[in-house]
Amino acid sequence: MAYDKFTTLTSTAVPLPIENVDTDQIIPARFLKATERKGFGDNLFRDWRYNADNSIKKDFVLNNPIYKGKILVGGKNFGSGSSREHAAWSVYDYGFRCVISSFFADIFKNNCLNIGVLPVQVSAEFSQKIFDAIYKDATTEFEVSLEHQTVTILSTGEKESFDINGYKKNNMLNGFDDIDYLQNIKSEISAFAENLPL
Amino acid sequence: MSKTLFDKVWDSHVIQKINDGPDVFFIDRHLIHEVTSPVAFLGLKNRGLRVLHPERTFATADHNTPTINQHLPINDPLSANQLKALEDNSKEHDIVHWGLGHKNNGIVHVIGPELGITLPGATIVCGDSHTSTHGAFGAIAFGIGTSEVEMVLSTQCIMQTKPKKMRINVDGKLGDFVTPKDVGLYIISQLSTSGATGYFVEYAGEVFENMSMEGRMTVCNLSIEMGARGGMIAPDEKTFEYIKDREFTPKGDAWNTAMTYWKTLKTDVDATFDKEFNFKASDIEPMITFGTNPGMGMGISKEIPVFDSKKGGKATYEKSLAYMGFDQSDAMIGKKVDYVFVGSCTNGRIEDFRAFSSIVKGKKKATNVTAWLVPGSHVVENQIKEEGLLTILNDAGFDLRQPGCSACLAMNDDKVPAGKYAVSTSNRNFEGRQGQGSRTLLASPIVAAAAAITGVVTDPRSLK
Ligand code: SF4
C-alpha cells in the first residue's frame, strides 16, 4: 500500500480564491533541496505566509485561525507551472487531503492523485457557492465522497458530482499506486521493449 | 484510419489500455536531474526495486548548480547533498551520469538534443515540466512528478490518459527581430496559461517549417506555459540533419532503418484535431511580459492592457500588477531594468547567444544593469568561445558564466533581489521565481540585449 486510503472526507475548508496559483507559490524553488520527503508542509505557500524576515503575514488565509480543515479550496487554474511533486507533498504534509478548484493544471492534478491528495474539479458556480458558504460561516463542513464522487455543502445540502477515472478512483479507495500495478505486468513490458524501433 | 503525428507516436507506445483508466505507456528515454530524482530513488530502495532499463536513463546535474567556480566545492550543503545523491544513485544503478564539469554536462533539455538522445518518434520524460522542449524533434516529451520518476525508473512505463489533440498553425513570415520566443509568448498571450490544459499541441505552418531546430525547441519548450502537456513539430530534413552523427544517434544500418520510420512521422492530411488555432506571423511583434504569469505578455510597443471584465479574476489581475509595480495602461518601453538574464532551456543555446551578441556588438552594457549570461551546456559554452562571440561580449562589458539552470529558478546563488526588475529569456515570471520578491519580464535574447545596453525596456527595432 503506497499511501492512506481515501474514502469519505468530512471537514471544514480553507478558502484561497486566487486564480492561477502556480507551483512556485505553493512551494518556492529554494525549498526543493531535500533528498527526502519530509517537512514540506512548513514551507507550503512560504512567501505568502511569511515576510522575508520570517515574520508572519497576518492577512494570508493560512495564518488566520478561523480557517482550518483538510480541504483547500483554490481559484481557477490551480497548480499551474512546474512539475515539482513537492507542491503536492507540501499540500499533503500541511494536512490537506483534498483540493477543490474549478480548474486544475494537469501535472499538479496527476501528482496529487499519485500521492493520495484528491483533486476535485467542480463547476465555477459550485466553487463560488463553496466560497460563499465558507465566508458566511467558517465552521461549515463539506463532505467529499470518493465512492459517490460528490461534494456536499453540509450546511445547505447542496451537492455536485465530480469526475475521476475508474482506475485512479480504485487506487485511491484502496491506497494502491501505479507502481503496484506496473510491477504485475513486468513481463509484458519487457516483451514490448524488445520490439521497439528506438 | 487517419492519424495525427501525436497519435502515431502515442499509439505505438501503448502496452495496455486500462478500462476507464489510463494507458500503460512505454518510455524510450528518461532524463533525470538532482532535484526531482532523490526521493524517487529512495522509493525504489524502500520497495526493494532496481532500475529496469539503466541504458535508457541519463543523468545530469543542472538545477541547483553554481554558475561560477564549478571546480570548487559547493558551499550550500543541501545542494551538494543533492548532487552527491544523483551521483551515488546513478552509480548504484549503472546510469550514465554527467556531473558538474563533465563535458556533456548542462541543462537537461539542452543536452538531450545535443547528444542525440532526443530522437523523432521517441517518448521522453523527465521530472521537469519543460521536457516539452524535445517535442521539436517529433518526439512525445513531457514533464512528470517524482512518483512518476519512480515509476519510470522501476518499470520504464508511466500510466497516462491520452491527452486531447490541438493544432496551432502560424502562417506567413516573421518580421525583423521577431524570434521563436516571441512566437511562443504571443501564442500563450492569446490562449492564456490554461488554454491548452488537457491537450498535446502540434505546431504547424510556414513559420515552424522555416524555423531552425533551436527555434522549434524554444517554441515547444513554452508549450507547458499554456497548460499543454507538451508540443511537437513533425520531423523534416532539418531535423534529420541536426541529429545525424551525434553521440547517441543511431549509426549505419540502424540510422537507415530509423530514417525509414521517421519519414512516416507526420500528420495525415485528413486527420482531425480536437481543437485548432490559426495565427498570422504578421501579427506578432517582439514580446515582453508585464505580469506574473507567462500569459500576461504583450507586443513591446503596446501599453499594459486594462483589465478585461469579461475574463474575470479582477483581484488576481490587480494583485499581479501590484506585485510588478506597474499600472494598467503603462507603456513597457522605458521601464527601468536592473538585471538581464540570458540562458535556460528556453533560450540558452548557441543561436540565442548569437542573437544577443549581434545586438550588443560594438556597444556597451548599461552601467545600471547586472547581466548574467549562462550557456545551457558546456557544448554551448565552447561554441560561444569558438565562434568568437565571447570576445564580442567581453568587449561590450559582459562576462560569461558556467552552464546550468541558474536564475531560471534561482535555486543556486543567482537570485534577483527583491523588488528588482529582470529582463529574462527564461520561461516563468511567477512571483519570486528568480528570487524572493524578484520581478521578471520575459522576453527574447534580442529584447534582453536591447535592455542590457540601454538599461531600460527598449524596442530592438528602434536601435540604430
Ligand atoms: S532552465 Fe529552468 S525550466 Fe529549464 S530545466 Fe532548468 S529550471 Fe527547468
Side-chain angles (χ1 to χ4, degrees), chain A residues 75-149:
Chain A
K76 190 173 75 182
N77 196 24
F78 193 87
S80 62
S82 109
S83 60
R84 60 185 72 160
E85 195 166 300
H86 312 68
W89 297 342
S90 53
V91 166
Y92 181 96
D93 192 50
Y94 186 86
F96 293 116
R97 290 295 174 271
C98 171
V99 182
I100 299 177
S101 168
S102 60
F103 198 83
F104 285 97
D106 268 344
I107 305 183
F108 179 77
K109 190 172 176 180
N110 260 338
N111 285 341
C112 283
L113 286 165
N114 282 336
I115 66 154
V117 171
L118 182 66
V120 170
Q121 188 162 322
V122 296
S123 66
E125 298 73 48
F126 198 71
S127 151
Q128 194 52 52
K129 282 186 182 162
I130 293 176
F131 282 126
D132 292 345
I134 303 172
Y135 287 126
K136 192 163 165 224
D137 176 3
T139 65
T140 301
E141 288 200 310
F142 301 85
E143 183 192 88
V144 180
S145 163
L146 177 56
E147 196 192 340
H148 298 112
Q149 297 177 219

Side-chain angles (χ1 to χ4, degrees), chain A residues 10-28:
Chain A
T10 305
S11 170
T12 51
V14 178
L16 186 64
I18 298 171
E19 295 182 3
N20 305 315
V21 170
D22 61 74
T23 47
D24 277 80
Q25 307 320 314
I26 300 176
I27 180 98

